[in-house]
Amino acid sequence: MNAGVSSRLAVMRRPRAALIAAGLVAGGVAWAALPAAAAGSCSTSSPSSNAYSATVCITAPAAGATVTGSTGVTATVSVTGTNPGVRELLFTLDNGALLWDYQSPFAWRLDSTRWVDGSYTLRVYAIMRDGFSTSQAAQTVTFSNGISTTPVNNSAFTPTAGTTPSAGHPFVVAAAGDGGSGQSSETSVVNLISSWNPNLFLYLGDVYQNGRSMEFNNWYGAPGIPGEYGQFYSISDPAIGNHEYVGSDISGYKWYWNNVPHYYSYNAGGWHFVSLDNISKFIGSTTSNGNYVAETKWLTKDLNINNQPCTLVYYHEPLFNVGSEGSATNTAGIWQILAQHNVTLVINGHDHDYQRWMRLDANGNPSPTGITEIVDGSGGHGLQQAVTTDSRLVASDFTHYGALRLTLGPAGAGFQFVTTAGTTIDSGSVACDPAAADTLAPSEPQNLKATAVSPSQVQLNWDDSTDNVGVTSYDIYRDGILVGSAPPPAGYVDQTAQSGQTYAYTAVARDAAGNASTPSNSATVTTPGSAMFYDGFESGNMSAWTTSTGMTVQNQIVNDGNYAADGVAAGSPAYAYKKLSQTWTSLYYSTRFDIHSQGSTSAYLLRFRTATKGAIAALYVSSGGKLGLRNDITGVSTMSSAVVSRNAWHTLEIFGSINGAASPMSVWLDGSPVSQLTGTQSLGTNPIGYLQLGDTSTAPTSDAVFDDVKADPSMIQP
């Protein structure tokens, strides 16, 4: 395919955030002749129009540095004039392609143990968004690891069958391609997949820009490290993509995956899996190609001896495709072999989008007994659009990053394409034998839990049911009345609850044949009373606030419900303002919050402001972890002895009554009064007209998550 913070919430942010914290602040094009290199660690150049000048600098490692093991590499780009923006940075070592970096800050780690000892020239240049390639910045480094011969990985690849699901749970397979590029969109997809706790992961190919070893190490990610695809290394079985090829060289792919073969098969979850190499550089377009003949002979033999009732085959480039990458016509012969052997599913990447096709026979004609092809190349490195239409295409999505989720049964699979926002765009099931009648009901949903996330919203969670073919929906009953249905994965938000009510919920699983499970256990919940203002962020955005800057609604770290707001203040503010419908002389304001990281300055959480946004009073946590009160009218800050632990949820509430020099103020932390911050303050005479959440300053470095934000003239119950 063509290319297109603090360490807080490790499962949410890309690992390069750790480089930032350590002081290492670090789109696809074909490799071509390099721009001229400048002497020293910086280089300045301009396009022919002279509309701007761009200066590219290598900021680490230091020029002439001796490197052992792994070292941080960082670079910067500064522009004078009309800035078109930076598309990507290209790093080389002795003029050999090393790594493409697509996202600022431009930082990554160079493993010097992959080369023999000696002196090397590290270079970098930028490709701007107007197509201009800058001159190179260059500097020398010396590798010193006691290595005198080129390192070789002699390990042997063994496919994994994944992990075994716990009793009563389905075997979950996650699949995605075209995401290994180190971008934040990749991290969002990885976090989505992680939330499923899959038993097996299929990477459908492409590590950018050309699968070099440092791109695998940094962008696909080190095995087991959260935030990039390497997190799933132990449960992964890959397929090779076209971006892993540099001519016929796939050395980066082979090293990372311990000499994985071009094609292989294994059994997992009661299914037979086959990973193929269908890249034109390898197979070619005719049966006279020796590689093609060898692979198809192997494939035919493998499928002939397969004794599993269901088979899933995956490879990078799809035969059927309405996207800009077009159809991989060289796979037509492979498709015919798969159809002749009654393969159930074919999964591909390559096109940066999601597509599901109707069952197709050996010649691509619709057939109730044909193969279902699913494309998921929306794994994080850009999105592409449809360039044609096809009546055989059942479902598609060209606007969201996401991943494919499969639940395997002995006679079929349930499938869902879920976006990084947690929305299921497409779902259903595919039977391995479409002619067989399905009379078996799904298992009863287990461990249903109900949580009131607002006066009108109840979050329901339960364990996924199992089914011989695949669960396609869950019916939700409230007090015995059907209130909604939802596709897998398990979870539902009842948006029609009323405040101050007690409800009993049950869930029922269904399959495509209409078979229904017995109801789940009953879960009872009481919704809270209404507050004048409430935001549990279940909208998935900051729409309840008048303005917001630097606040992101995410679904990885939450107090309850599906979402919470994350504010990362790191040289830029992270806050939201809420303009109240009227001004108030007395008001209660509360939130649930979790501070995970904080620098040497205070982190502000809640603040009252006037109708003209004048600051009145605020609560903050000092760098030493103590809760404090800032009187903005008098300019006096008061520190309490109350300790706010990090990496834990706390409840914070403030009450203020505007009455000049005799203004009562009270503060509660985790439901207990904070006496040192409670008493009479001088708060002026202007009433409260705005609420502030988070920190407006550019100085602090902190990362705080907020949930269940409320304001009311009456005291708010935790």
Side-chain angles (χ1 to χ4, degrees):
M1 319 243 337
N2 295 328
V5 230
S6 80
S7 58
R8 164 84 179 101
L9 309 183
V11 298
M12 179 183 162
R13 304 203 192 289
R14 54 184 297 188
R16 106 169 24 186
L19 298 177
I20 300 172
L24 297 175
V25 181
V29 295
W31 185 254
L34 299 175
S41 299
C42 292
S43 175
T44 301
S45 56
S46 299
S48 57
S49 65
N50 288 318
Y52 62 89
S53 63
T55 300
V56 182
C57 297
I58 299 174
T59 53
T66 297
V67 175
T68 59
S70 177
T71 188
V73 176
T74 61
T76 60
V77 182
S78 58
V79 176
T80 301
T82 304
N83 188 354
V86 178
R87 191 173 77 190
E88 58 207 1
L89 263 61
L90 282 69
F91 292 84
T92 67
L93 194 68
D94 281 0
N95 286 331
L98 187 61
L99 177 142
W100 276 250
D101 197 342
Y102 301 94
Q103 180 173 304
S104 177
F106 302 109
W108 52 281
R109 296 200 69 83
L110 173 62
D111 180 7
S112 65
T113 66
R114 296 293 297 274
W115 287 266
V116 298
D117 289 355
S119 178
Y120 294 85
T121 301
L122 179 66
R123 296 181 173 90
V124 64
Y125 70 93
I127 298 180
M128 309 302 286
R129 293 196 177 277
D130 61 359
F132 171 63
S133 294
T134 71
S135 60
Q136 298 180 81
Q139 63 188 40
T140 60
V141 292
T142 300
F143 295 167
S144 180
N145 297 288
I147 299 174
S148 57
T149 58
T150 302
V152 177
N153 182 351
N154 292 312
S155 300
F157 174 81
T158 301
T160 177
T163 59
T164 302
S166 56
H169 292 72
F171 189 92
V172 177
V173 178
D178 308 274
S181 57
Q183 294 165 276
S184 56
S185 46
E186 171 194 347
T187 305
S188 297
V189 177
V190 169
N191 292 332
L192 168 70
I193 294 171
S194 180
S195 71
W196 301 338
N197 191 26
N199 303 103
L200 184 68
F201 176 62
L202 311 179
Y203 190 68
L204 305 175
D206 276 5
V207 173
Y208 295 90
Q209 172 60 34
N210 53 22
R212 295 292 186 180
S213 59
M214 293 303 100
E215 292 174 322
F216 264 99
N217 284 8
N218 288 273
W219 300 161
Y220 194 87
I225 302 301
E228 290 174 348
Y229 284 108
Q231 173 178 343
F232 310 116
Y233 189 92
S234 65
I235 58 168
S236 295
D237 289 309
I240 192 168
N242 59 293
H243 276 265
E244 277 82 274
Y245 273 95
V246 183
S248 60
D249 177 13
I250 58 172
S251 57
Y253 175 79
K254 297 278 283 188
W255 183 297
Y256 185 85
W257 293 111
N258 292 325
N259 298 304
V260 58
H262 287 271
Y263 43 88
Y264 58 95
S265 68
Y266 55 97
N267 294 331
W271 282 51
H272 187 59
F273 288 78
V274 181
S275 173
L276 296 177
D277 180 347
N278 77 312
I279 307 307
S280 58
K281 297 181 181 70
F282 176 69
I283 293 177
S285 59
T286 69
T287 56
S288 63
N289 181 285
N291 292 325
Y292 177 90
V293 172
E295 182 168 24
T296 52
K297 283 184 176 180
W298 172 89
L299 176 62
T300 301
K301 180 179 179 180
D302 179 84
L303 295 177
N304 281 337
I305 63 176
N306 170 35
N307 58 10
Q308 299 296 317
C310 306
T311 300
L312 186 156
V313 179
Y314 57 107
Y315 45 89
H316 186 61
E317 297 180 350
L319 175 59
F320 304 102
N321 181 19
V322 298
S324 58
E325 298 296 332
S327 299
T329 56
N330 64 307
T331 62
I334 287 180
W335 183 272
Q336 291 180 341
I337 295 172
L338 304 182
Q340 292 164 5
H341 290 84
N342 301 311
V343 166
T344 308
L345 273 172
V346 166
I347 301 178
N348 309 114
H350 195 49
D351 222 76
H352 293 189
D353 45 58
Y354 172 79
Q355 303 173 44
R356 178 170 63 89
W357 294 70
M358 62 176 58
R359 285 181 177 267
L360 302 174
D361 67 13
N363 298 312
N365 300 311
S367 169
T369 59
I371 305 170
T372 297
E373 180 197 85
I374 295 177
V375 177
D376 180 20
S378 56
H381 186 56
L383 294 169
Q384 293 175 302
Q385 301 302 309
V387 297
T388 187
T389 60
D390 196 304
S391 61
R392 298 169 297 175
L393 183 65
V394 178
S396 61
D397 184 88
F398 297 90
T399 58
H400 298 95
Y401 295 107
L404 177 66
R405 180 180 184 270
L406 303 172
T407 52
L408 304 188
F415 62 83
Q416 304 90 40
F417 174 69
V418 186
T419 71
T420 53
T423 303
T424 300
I425 298 293
D426 183 36
S427 65
S429 64
V430 56
C432 301
D433 182 1
D438 180 9
T439 59
L440 296 178
S443 66
E444 173 186 320
Q446 300 290 319
N447 300 317
L448 176 67
K449 295 180 177 63
T451 303
V453 295
S454 80
S456 61
Q457 296 174 311
V458 175
Q459 172 70 53
L460 302 173
N461 296 101
W462 61 92
D463 296 340
D464 272 305
S465 297
T466 60
D467 187 63
N468 62 317
V469 175
V471 174
T472 56
S473 67
Y474 292 97
D475 294 338
I476 311 302
Y477 292 85
R478 185 180 70 198
D479 295 336
I481 299 173
L482 180 67
V483 293
S485 296
Y492 182 80
V493 178
D494 179 8
Q495 306 273 11
T496 64
Q498 297 184 10
S499 63
Q501 301 296 312
T502 299
Y503 299 110
Y505 290 89
T506 55
V508 172
R510 293 186 179 274
D511 62 20
N515 300 307
S517 72
T518 56
S520 70
N521 61 288
S522 178
T524 302
V525 65
T526 299
T527 56
S530 296
M532 179 196 70
F533 171 72
Y534 177 84
D535 193 6
F537 306 101
E538 295 307 305
S539 63
N541 54 47
M542 297 294 295
S543 59
W545 297 82
T546 307
T547 59
S548 74
T549 299
M551 300 286 283
T552 303
V553 176
Q554 47 79 42
N555 60 1
Q556 280 73 40
I557 302 297
V558 299
N559 175 54
D560 52 34
N562 285 330
Y563 297 98
D566 184 22
V568 179
S572 59
Y575 68 94
Y577 283 153
K578 173 63 181 179
K579 182 179 181 180
L580 302 176
S581 59
Q582 67 175 73
T583 58
W584 296 86
T585 56
S586 296
L587 200 63
Y588 291 85
Y589 184 23
S590 75
T591 186
R592 291 278 287 170
F593 73 96
D594 174 6
I595 295 180
H596 187 78
S597 66
Q598 186 176 354
S600 59
T601 57
S602 298
Y604 279 81
L605 305 174
L606 302 177
R607 179 174 256 127
F608 288 132
R609 288 184 175 271
T610 69
T612 57
K613 297 184 182 177
I616 299 173
L619 293 176
Y620 64 89
V621 176
S622 72
S623 59
K626 300 293 183 64
L627 184 65
L629 170 69
R630 165 75 178 181
N631 185 324
D632 295 306
I633 302 299
T634 64
V636 175
S637 296
T638 304
M639 185 74 65
S640 75
S641 58
V643 176
V644 178
S645 57
R646 295 178 183 173
N647 300 296
W649 284 100
H650 299 278
T651 302
L652 184 63
E653 183 168 354
I654 183 173
F655 167 76
S657 183
I658 308 303
N659 188 30
S663 300
M665 179 156 284
S666 300
V667 176
W668 295 264
L669 178 65
D670 296 330
S672 298
V674 182
S675 59
Q676 293 151 308
L677 307 182
T678 297
T680 300
Q681 296 277 340
S682 180
L683 298 180
T685 58
N686 292 318
I688 301 166
Y690 273 86
L691 304 175
Q692 177 186 316
L693 182 71
D695 206 321
T696 59
S697 173
T698 59
T701 301
S702 63
D703 192 350
V705 182
F706 301 91
D707 207 347
D708 295 334
V709 182
K710 304 175 186 178
D712 199 78
S714 299
M715 186 172 183
I716 301 167
Q717 299 299 317

Short mmCIF file of all heavy atoms in Angstrom, two decimals, residues 93-94 116-121 140-143:
data_model
loop_
_atom_site.label_atom_id
_atom_site.label_comp_id
_atom_site.label_asym_id
_atom_site.label_seq_id
_atom_site.Cartn_x
_atom_site.Cartn_y
_atom_site.Cartn_z
N LEU A 93 21.60 5.17 6.75
CA LEU A 93 22.88 4.86 7.38
C LEU A 93 23.83 4.46 6.25
O LEU A 93 23.57 3.47 5.55
CB LEU A 93 22.72 3.74 8.40
CG LEU A 93 23.90 3.53 9.35
CD1 LEU A 93 24.00 4.73 10.31
CD2 LEU A 93 23.73 2.24 10.15
N ASP A 94 24.88 5.24 6.08
CA ASP A 94 25.78 5.05 4.94
C ASP A 94 25.01 4.96 3.63
O ASP A 94 25.26 4.10 2.77
CB ASP A 94 26.65 3.79 5.14
CG ASP A 94 27.81 4.05 6.08
OD1 ASP A 94 27.93 5.19 6.58
OD2 ASP A 94 28.58 3.10 6.33
N VAL A 116 28.03 -4.45 12.10
CA VAL A 116 29.39 -4.68 12.59
C VAL A 116 29.94 -3.36 13.12
O VAL A 116 29.48 -2.27 12.77
CB VAL A 116 30.31 -5.24 11.48
CG1 VAL A 116 29.80 -6.59 10.99
CG2 VAL A 116 30.41 -4.25 10.32
N ASP A 117 30.91 -3.46 14.00
CA ASP A 117 31.53 -2.26 14.56
C ASP A 117 32.17 -1.41 13.46
O ASP A 117 32.65 -1.94 12.44
CB ASP A 117 32.61 -2.64 15.58
CG ASP A 117 32.02 -3.21 16.85
OD1 ASP A 117 30.78 -3.22 16.97
OD2 ASP A 117 32.82 -3.65 17.71
N GLY A 118 32.18 -0.11 13.70
CA GLY A 118 32.84 0.78 12.75
C GLY A 118 32.18 2.14 12.71
O GLY A 118 31.25 2.43 13.47
N SER A 119 32.67 2.98 11.83
CA SER A 119 32.17 4.34 11.68
C SER A 119 31.10 4.37 10.60
O SER A 119 31.26 3.78 9.52
CB SER A 119 33.32 5.29 11.29
OG SER A 119 32.83 6.59 11.10
N TYR A 120 30.00 5.06 10.89
CA TYR A 120 28.88 5.16 9.96
C TYR A 120 28.43 6.61 9.85
O TYR A 120 28.61 7.40 10.78
CB TYR A 120 27.69 4.31 10.43
CG TYR A 120 27.96 2.82 10.43
CD1 TYR A 120 28.59 2.21 11.51
CD2 TYR A 120 27.59 2.04 9.34
CE1 TYR A 120 28.83 0.84 11.51
CE2 TYR A 120 27.83 0.67 9.34
CZ TYR A 120 28.45 0.07 10.42
OH TYR A 120 28.69 -1.27 10.41
N THR A 121 27.81 6.93 8.73
CA THR A 121 27.24 8.26 8.55
C THR A 121 25.72 8.16 8.61
O THR A 121 25.09 7.48 7.78
CB THR A 121 27.66 8.88 7.21
OG1 THR A 121 29.09 8.96 7.16
CG2 THR A 121 27.08 10.28 7.06
N THR A 140 28.52 11.67 11.74
CA THR A 140 29.10 10.34 11.90
C THR A 140 28.88 9.82 13.31
O THR A 140 28.83 10.58 14.27
CB THR A 140 30.61 10.35 11.59
OG1 THR A 140 31.24 11.26 12.49
CG2 THR A 140 30.86 10.78 10.15
N VAL A 141 28.74 8.50 13.39
CA VAL A 141 28.66 7.81 14.67
C VAL A 141 29.52 6.56 14.55
O VAL A 141 29.77 6.05 13.45
CB VAL A 141 27.22 7.42 15.04
CG1 VAL A 141 26.38 8.64 15.34
CG2 VAL A 141 26.58 6.58 13.93
N THR A 142 29.96 6.05 15.68
CA THR A 142 30.78 4.84 15.70
C THR A 142 30.09 3.78 16.54
O THR A 142 29.74 4.02 17.70
CB THR A 142 32.18 5.12 16.27
OG1 THR A 142 32.83 6.10 15.46
CG2 THR A 142 33.01 3.85 16.31
N PHE A 143 29.86 2.62 15.93
CA PHE A 143 29.27 1.50 16.65
C PHE A 143 30.39 0.69 17.30
O PHE A 143 31.38 0.34 16.64
CB PHE A 143 28.47 0.60 15.72
CG PHE A 143 27.26 1.26 15.10
CD1 PHE A 143 26.59 0.66 14.05
CD2 PHE A 143 26.79 2.47 15.59
CE1 PHE A 143 25.48 1.26 13.48
CE2 PHE A 143 25.66 3.07 15.04
CZ PHE A 143 25.01 2.46 13.97
#
